[in-house]
Amino acid sequence: MAQTLLSVSALLLSVALLIFGHGLQTTLLPLAADRYYFTDFEIGAISSAYFVGLVLGCLAAPLLIMRAGHIRAFAALVSLMSGAAILHPVIIDPYAWFIIRVVSGFSLAGFYMIVESWLNESATNENRGTIMSIYIVIVFGSLILGQVSIASMSIASFVPFAVASVALSLAVMPISLTTATQPAPITLVRFRPIRLYQTSPAAFVGILLIGICQGAIFTLSPLYGSQIGLSTNQSAYYAAAIIGGGMIAQWPVGRLSDRMDRRLVLVGLGVATAAASLAIVFFSPTAFAIAAMTAVLVGMFTQPLYAIAVAHAFDHAAPEDFVETSSGMLLSFGIGSIIGPLAASLVMGQIGPSGLYVMIAVVSLVMAAFVLTRVLTRQALSDDEKTDFEYAATAQVGSVISPEPLDVEAEEYVIPPEEFPAYEDDIYNFDTGSDESEDTGETKADADAAPAEVSGVGKDTPETDAEDADADAASKTPETKS
């Protein structure tokens, strides 16, 4: 365990630095935009732009990673994100900020894929849950530190933008200097929303609505704090309190969902979110201590929703479909998160800052009502049929990608690996099996004839040919590090 942690220490340090800079930006940008007299709708559009980039990154970043390899792609994406961060005070224009945030979201999606596939492959079956849990704690801890760090800076100056950019730039160094072998290229899967809906309507639609709520809360809570009269420092702590509340509730709520129908947990959390949001609307707390307490409650009710919904989807999915399910649910969440800030900003523009929680209350009730209809329509699974709740596999910090090599002929995958030069680049320690082919007299076409199997998915191989297929797979696919 200690040796595994040591081998990924550089990766975890890069995570801490980058997420610190990202967290600083999430609090800084809506406050700075408000100071520059952007309208509520413009601030909402800029907030949604981040999630536009995140969705685009989920679809396109794997191609970049497979073409250049993990280390090169990591350096390129993080450098791009650092450059984008420093452009905000240089070009003070809502349209420019929209584009910049799209770039940031795209870069962060690729970052999550690289980090999580790397961690997933470095870990063993015995310590994978612990490693991924440590990673998640680092992500949320760094995010909160980044959010509250603005309390020591002035948003009227260039300093917070520069600090965010520097933190992002420093995140490149640990990975660039590591001597660890990078994992195999990322597996690509299709996004098939109809199939995901058929597998679990409650999870798919629920996550879309959850994305609307969480996208709005995550990006607009600092603006809400500022508009109700909190200082810049207090607004930063208000936003961090929501994330902190979520961290407190994730594990106990997850374990509760193991002991009962997860859909009922989703219904309960949705109703509780709506109740807390409406209480904020009616009582309009402006004292910082009371506002922060309500923020913690909102975080406790909203932040576990995604993990519970994905766990419910896993309950109904076959194990070989977990990668596609996880990626598809993340895309559904991203699409909802694009809608959330835009919708919330429109309501806030009409009725004031309380419009944020009005929208959250309405969407939460719609989510709870839809999931309740599924409870009445579809029988709950027994405890033996359910998978154990594992937050490391269901957190929306990224998309845990399987490090397994691609199967050229499997219908689930989109691009055959031969099209990506990262497989042929000796710099990245990929063993293409060329020497073995020469020694045995096999041609490349012969070696390509039997594709590697991925977690048992793909075309069936006759039993008489199983050993030959395994030998071919071992010679042509990159070696994975346990």
Side-chain angles (χ1 to χ4, degrees):
M1 178 66 182
Q3 184 177 0
T4 302
L5 280 175
L6 184 62
S7 67
V8 296
S9 58
L11 191 63
L12 295 176
L13 178 58
S14 290
V15 169
L17 289 168
L18 187 137
I19 299 301
F20 174 86
H22 170 58
L24 174 55
Q25 287 187 87
T26 59
T27 302
L28 170 63
L29 293 180
L31 295 176
D34 187 47
R35 179 181 175 276
Y36 293 136
Y37 302 106
F38 291 5
T39 66
D40 286 346
F41 180 75
E42 288 172 340
I43 296 174
I46 292 168
S47 300
S48 293
Y50 163 75
F51 294 104
V52 172
L54 194 70
V55 170
L56 293 176
C58 290
L59 298 173
L63 304 179
L64 173 63
I65 297 166
M66 295 182 72
R67 177 175 180 80
H70 285 64
I71 295 176
R72 286 177 177 170
F74 184 95
L77 290 169
V78 176
S79 297
L80 183 63
M81 192 173 178
S82 175
I86 204 67
L87 282 178
H88 287 103
V90 177
I91 311 174
I92 303 176
D93 178 80
Y95 297 102
W97 281 29
F98 182 92
I99 296 172
I100 292 170
R101 289 304 282 167
V102 170
V103 171
S104 295
F106 179 92
S107 301
L108 198 66
F111 164 83
Y112 280 137
M113 289 181 182
I114 292 169
V115 168
E116 294 182 16
S117 62
W118 205 324
L119 288 173
N120 198 20
E121 184 165 308
S122 298
T124 65
N125 291 335
E126 290 74 21
N127 62 22
R128 180 169 285 107
T130 302
I131 295 293
M132 297 305 294
S133 297
I134 291 172
Y135 157 70
I136 290 170
V137 169
I138 290 174
V139 167
F140 283 108
S142 301
L143 182 64
I144 292 174
L145 286 176
Q147 288 178 311
V148 301
S149 67
I150 199 174
S152 60
M153 310 174 204
S154 170
I155 63 170
S157 69
F158 188 79
V159 172
F161 296 97
V163 170
S165 180
V166 168
L168 295 171
S169 296
L170 291 176
V172 178
M173 294 183 62
I175 291 299
S176 299
L177 297 176
T178 185
T179 58
T181 302
Q182 70 171 352
I186 284 175
T187 297
L188 295 178
V189 294
R190 296 184 186 277
F191 176 50
R192 294 181 280 191
I194 295 177
R195 181 179 178 182
L196 290 172
Y197 177 82
Q198 291 172 342
T199 300
S200 178
F204 185 74
V205 175
I207 283 175
L208 179 71
L209 297 173
I210 291 166
I212 294 175
C213 290
Q214 292 196 11
I217 291 175
F218 182 68
T219 57
L220 296 180
S221 55
L223 178 65
Y224 170 83
S226 177
Q227 290 186 350
I228 65 172
L230 300 182
S231 67
T232 298
N233 296 354
Q234 291 173 337
S235 297
Y237 284 109
Y238 180 86
I242 294 176
I243 304 297
M247 291 183 66
I248 295 170
Q250 292 284 1
W251 184 252
V253 172
R255 299 309 297 171
L256 174 65
S257 73
D258 282 341
R259 293 168 171 78
M260 59 186 299
D261 190 342
R262 298 195 207 276
R263 296 172 299 177
L264 292 177
V265 178
L266 290 174
V267 172
L269 289 174
V271 173
T273 298
S277 299
L278 291 176
I280 292 173
V281 172
F282 288 126
F283 294 105
S284 301
T286 56
F288 173 68
I290 299 176
M293 291 176 61
T294 61
V296 171
L297 283 177
V298 169
M300 292 177 67
F301 297 144
T302 59
Q303 298 303 305
L305 283 167
Y306 179 89
I308 302 302
V310 174
H312 176 67
F314 283 176
D315 290 342
H316 292 277
E320 61 267 21
D321 293 332
F322 279 3
V323 174
E324 180 177 346
T325 300
S326 177
S327 300
M329 293 300 172
L330 181 68
L331 282 174
S332 178
F333 177 83
I335 293 170
S337 297
I338 294 171
I339 300 170
L342 282 172
S345 65
L346 288 173
V347 181
M348 292 173 74
Q350 294 296 318
I351 65 176
S354 62
L356 172 63
Y357 286 104
V358 170
M359 190 215 72
I360 291 171
V362 171
V363 176
S364 297
L365 287 176
V366 171
M367 186 273 293
F370 177 81
V371 175
L372 184 59
T373 62
R374 298 304 307 169
V375 172
L376 300 175
T377 303
R378 188 176 190 178
Q379 186 176 1
L381 295 176
S382 65
D383 291 341
D384 294 336
E385 295 175 304
K386 293 168 65 175
T387 59
D388 290 336
F389 176 82
E390 185 178 350
Y391 185 56
T394 56
Q396 79 269 31
V397 292
S399 178
V400 179
I401 303 296
S402 168
E404 298 289 342
L406 290 171
D407 182 342
V408 181
E409 296 185 0
E411 295 180 356
E412 290 80 3
Y413 304 112
V414 183
I415 305 294
E418 287 80 2
E419 295 188 13
F420 296 91
Y423 270 85
E424 307 295 335
D425 195 339
D426 292 337
I427 295 176
Y428 293 100
N429 301 309
F430 291 141
D431 181 5
T432 60
S434 58
D435 293 338
E436 289 81 354
S437 295
E438 291 177 1
D439 293 340
T440 59
E442 291 182 355
T443 63
K444 186 177 186 301
D446 292 334
D448 290 343
E453 292 189 12
V454 181
S455 301
V457 183
K459 292 188 175 181
D460 295 334
T461 303
E463 292 182 3
T464 56
D465 296 331
E467 293 182 0
D468 293 337
D470 290 341
D472 289 341
S475 67
K476 67 168 288 186
T477 56
E479 295 180 358
T480 55
K481 181 181 178 181
S482 61

